Amino acid sequence: MGIRIDDGPGFPGAKIVPHYDSLLVKITAKARTRRETAAKLTRALKEFRVRGVTTNKAFLLHVLQNDEFLDGYVDTGFIAAHPELLTPIMEKDRAQKLLQYIGNVIVNGTPKALGAAGPLPSSVDPIIPDIKPVAKTKKSLKNILDMDGPEAFAKAVRQNAGLLITDTTWRDAHQSLLATRLRTIDMLNVAEPTSIALRNAYSLECWGGATFDVSMRFLREDPWDRLAALREAVPDIPLQMLLRGANAVGYTSYSDNVVFEFCRLAKDTGMDVFRVFDSLNYLENLKLGIDAVGQAGGVIEGVVCYTGDVSDPNKGMYTLEYYLEFVRQLVDEGIHVLAIKDMAGLLKPESAKMLVSAIRAEHFDLPIHVHTHDTAGTGVSSMLAAAHAGADVVDAATDALSGLTSQPSLGALVASTAGTDLDTGIALEEASALNEYWEECRGLYAPFESGQKSGSADVYIHEMPGGQYTNLLYQSTQLGLTGQWSQVKKAYASANRLLGDIIKVTPSSKVTGDLAQFMVANNLTEQEVIDKGDTLSFPKSVVEYFQGYLGIPPFGFPEPLRTHVTKGQLIEGTTLTCFEGRPGADLPPMDLSLTKQVLEEKWGLAGQHQIRDVDVMSYAMYPAVFDDYLEHARQHGNLAYLDTRTFLTGMKVGEELSVNIEEGKQLIIKLISVGEPNADGIVNIQFEVNGQPRMAHIKDKTVGGDVQSRPKALKGVQGSIGAPMPGVVLETKVSKGDTIEIGDSLLVLSAMKMETVVSSPVKGIVNKVIVTAGDQVDAGDLVVEVEEN
């Protein structure tokens, strides 16, 4: 090979003396030419792994790749003439970063942002079922889609002899029961048997909705990597996502070119069926999503969101004719499949029969797909009623993740239709084998259980979406509303009325939930919100809703509350106080190339992250969340391949685990010891990685630092302005001495994805700003003092 290695005095346990030679190792290469020799040295250096000390490896690699050096033109000014030689090369060092994360969990506990408030994860490892492959007897829906396109796919669905099933286990089921915390590794572990057992399914719902931001924000995973991995693991079943129309997978409107690019990249990464909805049934927003999916080549599953009760003629404004007219408009837009999205579980069996049969009577060739939640316990009967009325597909979840606010039981539907004209083509034995895995796997997510014990028919009163229920329950706890969940549910119904009796699904459901929590936190009645609206600092989502950020609700905005909430403020970057049509139509195109360039400068070499087009989309959807995710990845690496129990609770002394960081690369990690905090609060943790000793030095966050006590705002003094809710200060918008008017923004608070702009209730001069960005505040803490004039 022409390589010689001589070791130096640098080794574990070496004694450091005043004239210590810091040489670790000397590499000598021999070849026919200078360039060949340099190439050998370069390869040898790249294959060295040196951890725990600073080396000159980066400098040597730069020198060996410099053309002047390779051509022999070097003098004493060589280094000074080439300062780039001193540029550091960031190495992956994946093992050490992983140890830092595990060590931090050992010392400081599960990251609070995860919301792991329940019991510890189960000590039982789920057993992956062994389901034998079977020979194909017909072309799969995935094959038809890939070979013949979306129209042929829709035709095949309509011509299918039985009832087709979409399994929501990988998305909406855990969003509804476990606060969207299901990790990619637990899906991949069971992907192969799933691809066999559910080979006759319509689709696997696995992406979009809340999973996109939660994966980055809390699970520290890349959503695009999840999609690509699931596509590779399950090649022959269509994958399905939830697309929020003009809101893509975010909570607001985006430039049109962003939505189009997002759908193109999703399709290229492996997505097949796009369930396109709008949170207000606003057709103009839906059109954008429909056009974007159509251009990308995906299956357009256009959605009519369901609320109210079509079987009760006295139940509000959402009548059977309202839905029929909306479906007619969707069909005119060229959808391939119609989805009835009952996000709260309000679709009673009789209502399902009435609605589906009426749609089928008008649209014989249109595939109908029905989605519901089992909150009241009527989910299975409603789906069977829909199927008998003419639905082609219904949603269900594996038994262990079904019921309550999730989807109806897959096993129950399979068993109920077996041997009938609605036979699902899924074997109950195989579905049950999958379910055994999920029964054990759910135990790993015990910290995220909501505590629900049974279904509840009060959903027909508060109308809270199943996918929001557990998330809002946890948010309410974090906001200091523990023990007030019943009040929050009642306030949710009040908030819905205040907003105009709207369709409630993300992001409009978030608006409703934010307003409900705001009302409970501030002890406000429905009438008081109307009476005091012009002096209240409403959550940002509520202000933006009334400004038209989400579009226009079916029956308009209620007045005078809209005027009180918006307070005549201009929408940032425009001369408008409210959008009067589709919000994105007034937004300029996003410069995606420039955005990518900015991200490369910020996160490229120094951040160890090669910016891809999909990363630009993640940033476009959630800029702050994406930056925070990459910063976390820079410090701790990719955590997606770490098992869930270790991810949540760390390791115990003597415990050993294996981590496959990539194909063919495995780490065997053993925890040897955990030290005590030193004077600086640093804990030394000793590991073994593949038999070699490694150390992690972790700051114990409980050591040192004083708890800061903040003064409270004075009751009855309008210029003494307090935080309306607990949270973190995102930014302050005023400084001491500023002259302000009533309604001017003072600062922005954030708590559990809910932003609140604190506005001034008085006119005057800012006397003192108590907080700065990053400060944590409790409800009632003094944030700004204004001297009234």
Side-chain angles (χ1 to χ4, degrees):
M1 294 293 289
I3 292 288
R4 169 175 167 166
I5 297 177
D6 298 284
D7 64 347
F11 56 88
K15 187 177 181 181
I16 307 300
V17 297
H19 303 292
Y20 176 73
D21 183 353
S22 61
L23 175 70
L24 295 175
V25 66
K26 179 169 65 178
I27 309 172
T28 307
K30 182 179 181 180
R32 292 173 299 177
T33 67
R34 186 180 180 92
R35 285 185 176 269
E36 286 183 10
T37 306
K40 286 186 176 183
L41 285 170
T42 298
R43 177 178 175 182
L45 280 169
K46 286 184 176 180
E47 292 181 355
F48 263 84
R49 296 290 184 269
V50 183
R51 303 291 183 248
V53 293
T54 302
T55 73
N56 63 346
K57 180 178 172 181
F59 169 75
L60 294 174
L61 284 170
H62 286 313
V63 170
L64 290 169
Q65 295 173 64
N66 182 277
D67 285 331
E68 289 185 24
F69 174 82
L70 293 174
D71 292 334
Y73 301 121
V74 179
D75 56 25
T76 55
F78 175 68
I79 296 177
H82 295 281
E84 71 276 5
L85 298 176
L86 303 177
T87 303
I89 296 177
M90 301 296 292
E91 299 202 50
K92 292 182 179 179
D93 202 2
R94 290 173 288 187
Q96 191 64 35
K97 291 178 178 179
L98 192 59
L99 298 184
Q100 287 295 122
Y101 175 81
I102 295 173
N104 189 60
V105 174
I106 292 171
V107 173
N108 295 304
T110 307
K112 289 186 178 180
L114 266 171
L120 291 175
S122 167
S123 60
V124 177
D125 292 321
I127 298 175
I128 300 172
D130 182 17
I131 303 177
K132 303 300 181 184
V134 296
K136 289 185 179 181
T137 58
K138 61 179 181 179
K139 290 176 68 175
S140 67
L141 287 174
K142 172 63 174 167
N143 185 255
I144 293 171
L145 174 60
D146 290 344
M147 297 295 293
D148 303 317
E151 290 78 10
F153 171 88
K155 186 176 181 180
V157 169
R158 188 70 189 98
Q159 292 177 344
N160 182 70
L163 177 65
L164 289 166
I165 298 288
T166 286
D167 180 15
T168 66
T169 303
W170 290 358
R171 196 201 71 81
D172 203 18
H174 70 90
Q175 179 173 323
S176 301
L177 295 177
L178 302 173
T180 328
R181 296 304 194 265
L182 189 61
R183 300 177 67 242
T184 303
I185 191 171
D186 294 315
M187 303 179 209
L188 291 176
N189 285 341
V190 77
E192 184 177 349
T194 298
S195 67
I196 300 170
L198 301 184
R199 59 192 176 276
N200 291 320
Y202 171 87
S203 66
L204 301 177
E205 191 194 35
C206 62
W207 208 63
T211 65
F212 192 90
D213 71 295
V214 167
S215 64
M216 291 189 291
R217 191 191 303 265
F218 300 125
L219 304 182
R220 304 304 185 179
E221 295 183 0
D222 186 290
W224 298 96
D225 289 349
R226 172 182 290 191
L227 175 57
L230 294 177
R231 174 78 287 163
E232 182 178 2
V234 185
D236 203 34
I237 302 176
L239 298 183
Q240 180 172 315
M241 74 164 290
L242 190 63
L243 185 77
R244 299 166 178 162
N247 307 131
V249 289
Y251 297 102
T252 187
S253 291
Y254 302 95
S255 300
D256 291 4
N257 68 318
V258 170
V259 179
F260 275 84
E261 179 69 357
F262 180 91
C263 292
R264 181 187 73 81
L265 290 172
K267 180 67 172 63
D268 289 350
T269 308
M271 188 48 59
D272 298 304
V273 181
F274 294 73
R275 179 175 282 173
V276 188
F277 76 97
D278 179 71
S279 66
L280 296 173
N281 276 355
Y282 183 47
L283 190 64
E284 293 306 311
N285 279 345
L286 266 169
K287 286 179 180 179
L288 178 66
I290 289 170
D291 292 344
V293 174
Q295 188 175 104
V299 175
I300 307 168
E301 190 172 284
V303 172
V304 53
C305 291
Y306 180 85
T307 192
D309 183 359
V310 296
S311 66
D312 181 356
N314 300 314
K315 179 72 174 180
M317 303 169 283
Y318 297 95
T319 63
L320 181 60
E321 182 54 37
Y322 164 81
Y323 290 112
L324 290 175
E325 177 57 29
F326 194 79
V327 171
R328 294 174 194 129
Q329 295 177 64
L330 286 177
V331 171
D332 289 342
E333 293 303 318
I335 63 174
H336 300 122
V337 179
L338 171 72
I340 300 170
K341 183 174 173 61
D342 171 29
M343 47 279 168
L346 304 179
L347 189 66
K348 301 171 185 174
E350 181 62 23
S351 301
K353 177 183 176 181
M354 289 178 59
L355 181 58
V356 174
S357 59
I359 295 172
R360 176 57 68 223
E362 286 195 20
H363 308 279
F364 180 78
D365 294 326
L366 178 67
I368 299 175
H369 189 165
V370 185
H371 166 90
T372 193
H373 289 257
D374 202 22
T375 309
T378 57
V380 172
S381 57
S382 291
M383 293 304 93
L384 290 174
H388 283 292
D392 303 282
V393 195
V394 298
D395 285 0
T398 190
D399 300 356
L401 287 170
S402 69
L404 302 177
T405 51
S406 179
Q407 278 67 59
S409 159
L410 187 150
L413 286 169
V414 167
S416 298
T417 57
T420 72
D421 291 342
L422 296 175
D423 195 305
T424 61
I426 297 172
L428 182 59
E429 294 78 9
E430 293 178 347
S432 297
L434 284 183
N435 186 61
E436 289 174 2
Y437 169 86
W438 287 111
E439 283 180 340
E440 295 172 341
C441 189
R442 184 167 178 174
L444 296 175
Y445 293 88
F448 305 110
E449 293 283 3
S450 66
Q452 298 175 83
K453 301 297 184 183
S454 66
S456 177
D458 67 356
V459 67
Y460 297 124
I461 300 172
H462 59 69
E463 299 184 354
M464 190 181 299
Q468 184 184 27
Y469 196 98
T470 55
N471 288 279
L472 193 64
L473 175 58
Y474 169 68
Q475 290 172 18
S476 296
T477 301
Q478 294 299 107
L479 290 170
L481 304 180
T482 303
Q484 301 183 69
W485 180 237
S486 60
Q487 289 97 309
V488 172
K489 288 194 290 184
K490 291 176 182 177
Y492 195 93
S494 298
N496 176 50
R497 289 190 292 270
L498 286 167
L499 296 171
D501 189 10
I502 60 174
I503 306 289
K504 292 169 289 300
V505 60
T506 308
S508 63
S509 58
K510 181 181 185 302
V511 176
T512 314
D514 288 354
L515 180 54
Q517 292 176 123
F518 175 79
M519 292 170 67
V520 175
N522 291 279
N523 197 27
L524 294 168
T525 66
E526 193 171 335
Q527 188 59 46
E528 285 174 331
V529 171
I530 296 173
D531 295 341
K532 301 178 181 179
D534 55 349
T535 63
L536 297 173
S537 294
F538 288 95
K540 184 179 179 182
S541 63
V542 177
V543 177
E544 290 185 345
Y545 163 77
F546 279 110
Q547 288 178 323
Y549 270 79
L550 304 185
I552 301 173
F555 306 102
F557 294 101
E559 289 287 4
L561 187 58
R562 185 189 197 188
T563 300
H564 289 166
V565 172
T566 57
K567 299 178 175 67
Q569 300 176 55
L570 294 180
I571 296 172
E572 188 173 349
T574 75
T575 58
L576 304 171
T577 57
C578 296
F579 291 112
E580 298 301 333
R582 181 171 68 83
D586 295 317
L587 297 175
M590 183 177 186
D591 191 330
L592 301 179
S593 297
L594 178 60
T595 302
K596 186 173 184 178
Q597 180 181 335
V598 171
L599 291 175
E600 284 173 340
E601 292 173 357
K602 184 174 184 178
W603 296 109
L605 180 64
Q608 306 177 54
H609 191 92
Q610 182 179 352
I611 298 299
R612 309 161 297 173
D613 290 343
V614 293
D615 296 321
V616 177
M617 284 298 101
S618 296
Y619 179 82
M621 297 291 124
Y622 297 98
V625 173
F626 178 74
D627 279 346
D628 182 60
Y629 161 71
L630 282 193
E631 176 59 29
H632 191 276
R634 185 183 68 80
Q635 296 178 25
H636 301 296
N638 183 359
L639 300 177
Y641 41 63
L642 187 63
D643 73 275
T644 296
R645 189 183 302 107
T646 306
F647 175 77
L648 294 175
T649 61
M651 299 174 66
K652 297 178 181 178
V653 173
E655 183 181 352
E656 185 174 283
L657 62 90
S658 63
V659 181
N660 296 308
I661 58 176
E662 66 177 69
E663 191 71 31
K665 289 190 177 182
Q666 184 182 59
L667 301 177
I668 306 298
I669 302 174
K670 184 175 182 179
L671 178 60
I672 304 300
S673 66
V674 179
E676 295 295 326
N678 63 18
D680 297 320
I682 302 298
V683 177
N684 294 323
I685 303 179
Q686 186 177 355
F687 293 93
E688 276 186 6
V689 178
N690 294 343
Q692 299 296 314
R694 289 281 190 95
M695 293 288 290
H697 309 288
I698 308 297
K699 170 68 176 177
D700 187 335
K701 297 176 182 177
T702 65
V703 176
D706 297 325
V707 177
Q708 188 176 20
S709 177
R710 297 187 181 279
K712 295 292 183 179
L714 299 176
K715 293 183 178 181
V717 180
Q718 284 196 308
S720 180
I721 301 167
M725 306 185 79
V728 176
V729 178
L730 289 185
E731 64 174 318
T732 55
K733 293 181 173 290
V734 294
S735 302
K736 182 178 179 179
D738 288 353
T739 300
I740 57 173
E741 301 291 331
I742 294 175
D744 282 356
S745 299
L746 303 176
L747 53 92
V748 181
L749 290 176
S750 175
M752 297 305 299
K753 300 198 290 187
M754 180 172 74
E755 291 187 9
T756 301
V757 177
V758 179
S759 302
S760 177
V762 297
K763 176 182 179 181
I765 298 174
V766 176
N767 187 40
K768 186 184 296 185
V769 180
I770 312 297
V771 296
T772 59
D775 285 355
Q776 179 78 42
V777 296
D778 290 326
D781 283 356
L782 180 65
V783 291
V784 176
E785 284 185 349
V786 177
E787 184 179 332
E788 299 180 54
N789 59 23

